[in-house]
Amino acid sequence: MLVDDIVDVTITNDGATILKMLEVEHPAAKVLVYLAELQDKEVGYGTSFVIIIAAELLKRENDLVRNKIHPTSIISGYKHAMREAYKYVDENLYIYVEKLGKDSLVNYAKTIMSSKLIGADSDFFENLVGHGVLEISQLCEEDTLICLMSIKDAYEN
């Protein structure tokens, strides 16, 4: 529950909504808010996750700086970790749509859309998206990757 200057009350568990209402002054905190806004704009959910991960990285970075490790070395380490994470995802986490089946795709759509987009019509849209991705994958070449955009992005394009 948030109460603003003019005593308007907002009750939410949505990270993006909470962060938009905060008046953040600290530079590092402003970066966290910016990251959450980008996550919300690009994906539509996961803002709390982004804040938690980024805050933990900053906390660990602060410990390293206190142990007299230069920030440039820390950034190089983070960049190396990022490259290794991409490599791991490329090698181990791709699953072709045909292998997933409609039930898995519907569950994937349910996870994405449950946060704030659809509401009462969620079953209809979850099945629609799951079926649509399965149909599209059958029309594509075998090695084609299908990226699911947010509904807003798909509508604008």
Side-chain angles (χ1 to χ4, degrees), residues 3 13 61 70 92 103 106 113 127 138 142 151:
V3 181
N13 67 349
E61 184 178 323
H70 197 274
N92 300 301
D103 290 340
V106 168
M113 291 189 270
N127 283 306
Q138 292 170 356
E142 188 172 315
I151 291 174

Side-chain angles (χ1 to χ4, degrees), residues 32 48-58:
L32 293 177
S48 299
F49 175 77
V50 167
I51 291 293
I52 290 168
I53 294 293
E56 187 62 28
L57 289 172
L58 286 172

Side-chain angles (χ1 to χ4, degrees), residues 3-18:
V3 181
D4 67 11
D5 296 343
I6 57 173
V7 194
D8 279 343
V9 177
T10 303
I11 299 174
T12 183
N13 67 349
D14 178 42
T17 303
I18 293 168

Side-chain angles (χ1 to χ4, degrees), residues 6 8 14 30 36 41 47 56 58 60 68-69 71 73-74 77 81 89 95 112 131 136 141-142 144 146 148 152:
I6 57 173
D8 279 343
D14 178 42
K30 284 183 179 182
K41 180 181 176 188
T47 53
E56 187 62 28
L58 286 172
R60 300 294 172 112
K68 303 199 186 307
I69 297 175
S73 298
I74 297 168
V89 168
I95 300 173
I112 292 172
H131 182 71
I136 290 168
E141 296 178 22
E142 188 172 315
T144 302
I146 299 172
L148 298 179
K152 176 183 161 205

Side-chain angles (χ1 to χ4, degrees), residues 70-100:
H70 197 274
T72 305
S73 298
I74 297 168
I75 291 169
S76 295
Y78 280 160
K79 286 181 178 179
H80 178 72
M82 180 187 67
R83 285 189 298 274
E84 290 298 314
Y86 279 135
K87 181 178 168 185
Y88 180 82
V89 168
D90 280 342
E91 293 172 358
N92 300 301
L93 298 181
Y94 280 133
I95 300 173
Y96 289 99
V97 171
E98 301 83 33
K99 293 180 182 178
L100 290 174

